[in-house]
Amino acid sequence: MTESFCHVWDTRRHATGQTQTGYTLLAKVRMDTELEEMDLQLFKDFIESTFPGSLLKDEHQGMVHYHLTDKTLTWAQVFGVLETAKEKYSIEDYCVSQISLEQVFLSFAQFQHCAEACRK
């Protein structure tokens, strides 16, 4: 529910396709050196330059969560880039997935919360 009305969709594909597109990228960068913040920043710069329009959603303790917004990206492109960058940027692990229905609803809730905070 947002703003006193309910959005109803026929399928999950319709729901995610109408609100957000692209992929979710979660990555863990090894943080065992003295230059850990610099290493993480290099990886973030790499993601943002390789996937234009990517949005950093969260970052903590060497973990980053990106929304890759480019509609033309394929699974093969994303995985290929990350596999190539794994050693250079000390990526311990990563996960790429489509935007989930849960993430769609969470974004609605966050939008509603922000809209209510702006009105106060």
Side-chain angles (χ1 to χ4, degrees), residues 25 43-52 54 66 68 82:
L25 166 63
F43 177 66
K44 289 173 12 183
D45 293 343
F46 168 74
I47 292 296
E48 291 166 13
S49 65
T50 304
F51 303 113
S54 59
Y66 275 96
L68 307 180
L82 292 171

Side-chain angles (χ1 to χ4, degrees), residues 84-95:
T84 303
K86 228 174 155 174
E87 193 171 316
K88 181 177 182 180
Y89 295 102
S90 302
I91 301 170
E92 285 183 9
D93 197 15
Y94 67 89
C95 173

Side-chain angles (χ1 to χ4, degrees), residues 46-102:
F46 168 74
I47 292 296
E48 291 166 13
S49 65
T50 304
F51 303 113
S54 59
L55 305 171
L56 180 63
K57 296 292 197 173
D58 189 25
E59 168 192 350
H60 63 281
Q61 298 180 353
M63 291 283 297
V64 291
H65 172 192
Y66 275 96
H67 176 204
L68 307 180
T69 59
D70 187 349
K71 295 176 184 179
T72 63
L73 281 175
T74 65
W75 288 102
Q77 289 171 319
V78 176
F79 281 105
V81 165
L82 292 171
E83 280 299 312
T84 303
K86 228 174 155 174
E87 193 171 316
K88 181 177 182 180
Y89 295 102
S90 302
I91 301 170
E92 285 183 9
D93 197 15
Y94 67 89
C95 173
V96 179
S97 62
Q98 289 181 313
I99 302 296
S100 71
L101 189 56
E102 177 183 9

Side-chain angles (χ1 to χ4, degrees), residues 20-36:
Q20 290 185 353
T21 57
Y23 300 102
T24 293
L25 166 63
L26 302 171
K28 170 77 171 143
V29 175
R30 190 174 305 116
M31 302 288 282
D32 57 0
T33 66
E34 294 151 10
L35 302 173
E36 56 195 32

